[in-house]
């Protein structure tokens, strides 16, 4: 009888379907875990690169007294001078505040202006996110006190504040 055959096969097909659904669920969980692991790895890589950049910047900042004197003399010929700011992760924003209004302690206002500019010009900045960092995560990170600014943030500051910046480096090109 056809009904008997269906009744006999139905439980097996239900078990097969449940087994397939279970395997699919396990595969999705494994895929999600792998994705989370890759994201954590990228985040760790980004942190390591950031630490390396900080370390390299500190090494480059270590000049001899003679080199300091030569650098200051070269700057003096250009009519500019070195102004020290705290190297606390806010240094780029402190430098901007110092140069624009003469008060490095106003750095928070300039960081906020830069972050707001980047946020409102998402389409211009989002393609340049590093390591697949999500744009909103990047903006939240940059809005954090003591987060180092770099080329992208300096570009945004120039655009937001409608100014040009000239970067002077010892034995480096002027940018």
């Amino acid at each position: 009888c056809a009904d008997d055959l269906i009744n006999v096969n139905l439980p097996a097909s239900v078990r097969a379907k449940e087994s397939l659904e279970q395997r699919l669920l396990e595969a999705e969980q494994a895929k999600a875990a792998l994705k989370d692991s890759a994201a954590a790895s990228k985040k760790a890589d980004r942190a390591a690169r950031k630490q390396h950049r900080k370390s390299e910047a500190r090494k480059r900042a270590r000049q001899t007294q003679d080199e300091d004197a030569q650098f200051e003399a070269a700057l003096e010929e250009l009519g500019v001078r070195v102004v020290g700011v705290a190297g606390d992760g806010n240094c780029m924003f402190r430098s901007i505040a110092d140069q624009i209004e003469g008060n490095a302690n106003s750095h928070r206002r300039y960081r906020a202006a830069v972050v707001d500019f980047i946020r409102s010009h998402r389409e211009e900045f989002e393609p340049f996110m590093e390591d697949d960092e999500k744009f909103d995560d990047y903006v939240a990170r940059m809005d954090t006190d003591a987060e180092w600014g770099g080329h992208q943030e300096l570009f945004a500051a120039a655009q937001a504040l409608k100014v040009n910046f000239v970067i002077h480096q010892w034995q480096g090109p002027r940018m």
Side-chain angles (χ1 to χ4, degrees):
C1 302
D3 286 342
D4 290 339
L5 183 61
I6 291 173
N7 287 337
V8 169
N9 290 331
L10 183 62
S13 67
V14 169
R15 283 193 306 270
K17 181 180 176 186
E18 288 173 353
S19 175
L20 179 61
E21 288 174 349
Q22 181 63 32
R23 286 185 290 183
L24 286 172
L25 177 63
E26 290 170 358
E28 286 177 17
Q29 290 172 339
K31 183 179 174 183
L34 186 59
K35 186 176 179 181
D36 289 345
S37 174
S41 176
K42 285 183 179 182
K43 194 172 193 175
D45 288 347
R46 186 181 312 119
R49 278 195 310 281
K50 179 180 176 182
Q51 188 59 40
H52 178 73
R53 283 192 310 268
K54 284 182 177 183
S55 174
E56 290 301 309
R58 286 187 187 105
K59 287 179 191 174
R60 284 191 308 271
R62 293 184 190 128
Q63 300 167 182
T64 66
Q65 288 181 335
D66 186 48
E67 289 171 332
D68 283 342
Q70 291 175 34
F71 184 48
E72 289 176 15
L75 292 176
E76 189 175 323
E77 289 178 18
L78 298 170
V80 296
R81 62 186 168 80
V82 173
V83 175
V85 295
D88 60 357
N90 294 310
C91 51
M92 185 187 84
F93 299 101
R94 287 183 187 281
S95 296
I96 292 169
D98 175 74
Q99 292 300 297
I100 292 178
E101 66 178 68
N103 182 5
N105 291 325
S106 297
H107 65 91
R108 287 178 190 86
R109 182 174 345 136
Y110 291 94
R111 178 184 292 277
V114 168
V115 170
D116 288 345
F117 183 85
I118 292 171
R119 185 181 292 117
S120 66
H121 292 83
R122 181 181 192 130
E123 67 283 352
E124 295 172 33
F125 291 93
E126 191 167 26
F128 299 100
M129 296 297 99
E130 292 182 353
D131 305 321
D132 299 327
E133 182 176 20
K134 290 184 172 77
F135 181 81
D136 294 329
D137 293 343
Y138 159 77
V139 169
R141 180 173 56 81
M142 283 313 302
D143 206 22
T144 304
D145 189 56
E147 185 65 35
W148 281 40
H151 182 265
Q152 182 163 269
E153 294 76 30
L154 192 60
F155 173 79
Q159 297 297 305
L161 304 170
K162 298 179 180 12
V163 298
N164 292 316
F165 294 103
V166 178
I167 310 298
H168 299 274
Q169 297 175 304
W170 169 244
Q171 294 187 329
R174 243 186 333 172
M175 299 184 276

